Amino acid sequence: MDFLFAKSNSIAHLAGMTNSDLADIFKLYADLSELHGGNPFKIKSYAAAAFRIDKFPQALFNLSLQELESIQGIGKSIAQVIVSLNQNQGNWPELNKLIEETPEGLRQLMRIKGIGAKKVAFIWKELGIENPGELLYACKENRLAQAKGFGQKTQESIRKQIEFLFANQHKFHYASAEPLALQLLKTIQDEFTEMASFTGPIRRCAEVLECIDLLVATEEKEELAAQLMAIPLLNNTDWDGEFIQGKLGSFPVSIHLCSSENYMYSLFMETASEDHLKQLPAEPDDSVNWDSEEDIYASIGLSYIEPELREGLGEIEKAAQNQLPNLIEYEDLRGPLHNHSTWSDGQNSIEEMALWCMQKGYAYLGMADHSKSAFYANGLSVERVYQQMEEIDKLNARYPNFRILKGIECDILNDGNLDYENEVLKDFDYVVASIHSNLKMTEEKAMGRLLKAIENPYTSILGHPTGRLLLMREGYPINAKKMIDACAANGVHIEINANPYRLDLDWRQIDYALNKGIWLSINPDAHELDGFLDMYFGTLVARKGGLSKEQCLNALETDELLQKLKRN
Ligand SMILES: [Zn+2]
Ligand SMILES: [Zn+2]
């Protein structure tokens, strides 16, 4: 539930609330009262309640006043608010009033890290700023740095965050749009014409999209346009004689209607990135009715280039020399490494996960639960590490044709050390080393931690190298080349974290890594059974970066994999 961006000034629609919804409400109440100069004692107690409620193991919303009051840490007044929220379908008049009195933009400002309600109040009242745009302008004019309690560093951090927010406003994750986009394409192909395809960034499998582009061939543009606009999946459509623009669900969509003799040429032109087109050795003939894109590439002296690669990042040179990689396929994968079970913060037991993998025809399942410092994720104490290993031994005896590997996702601590002593590390089949703490750091600090972890003789795979969450959190800054060089020098493999919000290592670094001889692992980081399917999205960006099966760790069979995971 995202109250801060909710347009509605009422919370009346919330019937059944989870603890996390309740926590959001109390937090919002505390923030808004602070913004409006409310009673500090009350603010503190509501903020503390929000924190506790969010972590509370039992659902609180439907409990009686008596039951709520008997719970330690839920005071009388908090209990009363919860009960009245329940009785009034989620309405809390006092909160509604605060929301009404607060400009929308100020609530967006409170989402920015490093400025709490108190600072937003100052910005609002002293500087007259009411939204992120005005604040960005103030940062650029250096006004914030001069204001009391801010300084140059805070201003810089705020400026970066707002720019990131703005830059990503109209973008969406590939994975969030793909199911609907495929449904639309299939509808068009089944009901109208086979000559229909994605083009542009979605055909190139870009990790983040701004529009879903399609190309459809027809001799009757007007007629087909009217039929396509009647497809129920589409809304807000507009036809200009050439393109249908509109929405597919909430995603912008653009459908180009062309003649069938122009179809292949248009497909070729509209799929490529600008850089790809600029670098072509010659312009293909647009007067020819091409049979295939293969023919078009051949006509300008190039071997066929897969759509994912058409970014202008070296693929044309390779195509000219017939040296393009044979891209990996989802079906080449033999098992998932880096997964979490109920031993740490996953939803399924190791056995459930193993059975899923067996059914899928995989050869192995690599466990990598969290290590001991990840207390928020129920990380494994040394004692529990060995209990888990025992369980894995038993399961391996029960399922002799399958192999569960004893891995760990080991935290890289603030000083770059790993989270267990060597005595423990030596007993794992492999160690995925990842940074989860103190993500806000300089490149120097991040590289110090990473390089130390890479040099640790027990590190097998470097996990999500930048910690980024696409469209939500910029990763910590790294020098990717230096990091990859260090991995090459130390025999460390790198993961492509396949979670569609991460896709980290970034595909743009893959070619460099492969040239350095690095092996990559397409890791789902699954926390539940469905999470395994993310390897599909990992495979798309792996292909985009030029990965072939021959340099993919989890395309290996079990014995070769174990061999490859051994460090000298
Ligand atoms: Zn992780
Ligand atoms: Zn993980």
Side-chain angles (χ1 to χ4, degrees):
M1 189 58 48
D2 191 353
F3 289 101
L4 301 180
F5 280 145
K7 279 270 182 294
S8 145
N9 277 352
S10 154
I11 46 174
H13 56 285
L14 293 168
M17 286 192 213
T18 63
N19 285 355
S20 150
D21 295 335
L22 283 174
D24 284 346
I25 286 184
F26 282 108
K27 175 81 172 54
L28 181 61
Y29 183 88
D31 283 346
L32 292 181
S33 329
E34 190 168 14
L35 186 65
H36 291 277
N39 174 348
F41 179 75
K42 204 169 160 188
I43 291 165
K44 231 181 175 171
S45 94
Y46 280 49
F51 185 79
R52 276 197 304 269
I53 289 170
D54 199 26
K55 305 236 171 320
F56 201 76
Q58 181 194 359
L60 298 172
F61 187 60
N62 288 312
L63 299 185
S64 71
L65 186 62
Q66 225 175 358
E67 287 167 320
L68 285 166
E69 280 178 359
S70 72
I71 292 168
Q72 216 188 346
I74 306 281
K76 212 180 184 126
S77 62
I78 304 288
Q80 272 165 358
V81 175
I82 294 177
V83 170
S84 105
L85 277 167
N86 192 348
Q87 286 166 352
N88 297 303
Q89 278 88 41
N91 249 309
W92 183 4
E94 256 183 281
L95 176 59
N96 289 349
K97 186 163 169 278
L98 282 172
I99 292 174
E100 262 161 45
E101 287 168 356
T102 312
E104 178 87 25
L106 290 182
R107 281 155 66 196
Q108 293 175 1
L109 287 183
M110 284 195 292
R111 274 176 72 113
I112 296 169
K113 283 206 190 80
I115 36 176
K118 199 173 264 163
K119 283 206 163 103
V120 173
F122 176 87
I123 289 169
W124 181 27
K125 286 174 184 148
E126 302 298 321
L127 305 178
I129 287 168
E130 289 199 348
N131 60 52
E134 290 171 357
L135 184 58
L136 179 61
Y137 193 66
C139 289
K140 286 185 172 162
E141 285 194 322
N142 209 26
R143 270 193 288 143
L144 203 60
Q146 290 157 11
K148 207 173 120 216
F150 284 90
Q152 201 69 44
K153 240 174 121 178
T154 312
Q155 172 173 283
E156 190 53 20
S157 149
I158 290 172
R159 184 184 64 78
K160 273 197 190 145
Q161 287 186 68
I162 300 177
E163 279 174 352
F164 184 76
L165 215 109
F166 281 172
N168 293 308
Q169 234 166 14
H170 301 291
K171 299 183 180 173
F172 46 93
H173 298 103
Y174 177 94
S176 66
E178 196 206 46
L180 260 185
L182 283 173
Q183 210 183 323
L184 174 65
L185 180 60
K186 192 169 178 318
T187 305
I188 296 173
Q189 287 173 336
D190 289 353
E191 294 179 21
F192 302 102
T193 170
E194 277 289 317
M195 284 174 106
S197 168
F198 292 142
T199 60
I202 190 169
R203 183 155 184 244
R204 299 201 305 273
C205 299
E207 67 277 33
V208 161
L209 303 173
E210 292 177 58
C211 183
I212 296 163
D213 298 298
L214 291 99
L215 177 70
V216 184
T218 179
E219 306 319 326
E220 310 288 341
K221 285 192 191 180
E222 295 299 324
E223 197 187 327
L224 185 63
Q227 289 170 323
L228 293 182
M229 289 201 291
I231 296 176
L233 288 169
L234 293 171
N235 59 73
N236 289 326
T237 49
D238 193 37
W239 164 243
D240 69 1
E242 188 81 10
F243 287 88
I244 298 170
Q245 313 274 2
K247 288 278 176 80
L248 173 64
S250 59
F251 307 112
V253 64
S254 171
I255 307 174
H256 183 198
L257 301 195
C258 67
S259 69
S260 47
E261 64 183 29
N262 212 242
Y263 179 71
M264 273 306 154
Y265 179 79
S266 300
L267 184 62
F268 172 88
M269 292 302 286
E270 290 168 28
T271 298
S273 72
E274 257 176 65
D275 286 342
H276 182 85
L277 290 179
K278 263 190 230 154
Q279 293 170 18
L280 291 175
E283 251 179 69
D285 190 339
D286 65 354
S287 67
V288 177
N289 180 359
W290 297 99
D291 278 338
S292 68
E293 288 182 310
E294 278 86 347
D295 289 352
I296 300 179
Y297 278 113
S299 78
I300 50 175
L302 299 176
S303 59
Y304 176 69
I305 302 176
E306 299 276 3
E308 292 95 320
L309 295 176
R310 301 181 198 171
E311 295 285 353
L313 291 171
E315 73 278 8
I316 289 175
E317 250 168 68
K318 286 181 190 156
Q321 294 158 12
N322 217 354
Q323 280 177 353
L324 282 171
N326 197 357
L327 300 182
I328 188 162
E329 309 270 353
Y330 182 52
E331 291 70 28
D332 291 331
L333 300 180
R334 298 300 295 133
L337 305 172
H338 189 171
N339 305 291
H340 301 265
S341 71
T342 45
W343 280 86
S344 64
D345 58 351
Q347 305 277 324
N348 298 93
S349 68
I350 297 178
E351 186 168 19
E352 285 166 345
M353 299 178 91
L355 287 168
W356 191 100
C357 290
M358 283 178 229
Q359 193 158 29
K360 180 89 181 168
Y362 287 148
Y364 45 81
L365 160 69
M367 291 314 305
D369 275 305
H370 284 289
S371 63
K372 67 179 194 304
S373 288
F375 56 88
Y376 54 87
N378 195 22
L380 303 184
S381 64
V382 171
E383 200 190 345
R384 292 176 69 231
V385 163
Y386 289 100
Q387 287 169 358
Q388 185 186 57
M389 286 185 181
E390 246 175 71
E391 179 177 315
I392 292 176
D393 286 336
K394 277 186 201 152
L395 289 168
N396 277 332
R398 190 177 306 162
Y399 303 106
N401 296 323
F402 185 77
R403 179 71 175 263
I404 304 168
L405 302 172
K406 298 168 183 167
I408 189 84
E409 181 175 27
C410 190
D411 266 39
I412 298 172
L413 303 177
N414 197 38
D415 60 6
N417 281 315
L418 296 187
D419 198 15
Y420 296 111
E421 300 297 322
N422 291 350
E423 277 310 290
V424 179
L425 291 171
K426 73 172 179 20
D427 290 331
F428 292 108
D429 287 329
Y430 64 97
V431 173
V432 180
S434 310
I435 293 182
H436 294 117
S437 58
N438 303 326
L439 298 176
K440 244 186 138 185
M441 51 186 166
T442 61
E443 182 179 313
E444 194 188 358
K445 172 78 183 172
M447 288 305 291
R449 288 171 84 180
L450 286 171
L451 294 181
K452 189 156 177 197
I454 291 165
E455 283 161 15
N456 188 309
Y458 293 100
T459 299
S460 334
I461 303 173
L462 185 62
H464 44 71
T466 74
R468 75 178 181 187
L469 296 176
L470 290 166
L471 304 182
M472 292 183 289
R473 180 174 80 203
E474 214 167 352
Y476 42 79
I478 61 165
N479 180 330
K481 287 208 163 84
K482 222 167 155 180
M483 176 190 81
I484 290 166
D485 290 345
C487 286
N490 289 279
V492 170
H493 316 294
I494 302 178
E495 96 171 358
I496 298 172
N497 192 298
N499 182 316
Y501 285 52
R502 291 189 183 267
L503 302 175
D504 182 18
L505 183 70
D506 189 281
W507 60 266
R508 294 162 191 83
Q509 313 296 343
I510 291 177
D511 187 55
Y512 184 78
L514 294 176
N515 284 331
K516 289 280 162 178
I518 303 261
W519 281 56
L520 298 168
S521 185
I522 299 176
N523 288 351
D525 203 351
H527 287 69
E528 56 190 323
L529 299 178
D530 278 353
F532 290 131
L533 298 172
D534 283 350
M535 283 198 291
Y536 165 74
F537 298 109
T539 306
L540 294 185
V541 292
R543 289 170 59 85
K544 200 162 174 50
L547 181 63
S548 65
K549 171 183 167 176
E550 282 67 37
Q551 246 169 300
C552 177
L553 208 54
N554 57 324
L556 289 172
E557 294 300 335
T558 316
D559 290 344
E560 303 164 313
L561 172 67
L562 285 170
Q563 198 56 39
K564 194 83 197 158
L565 285 168
K566 270 203 192 105
R567 292 279 308 270
N568 317 318

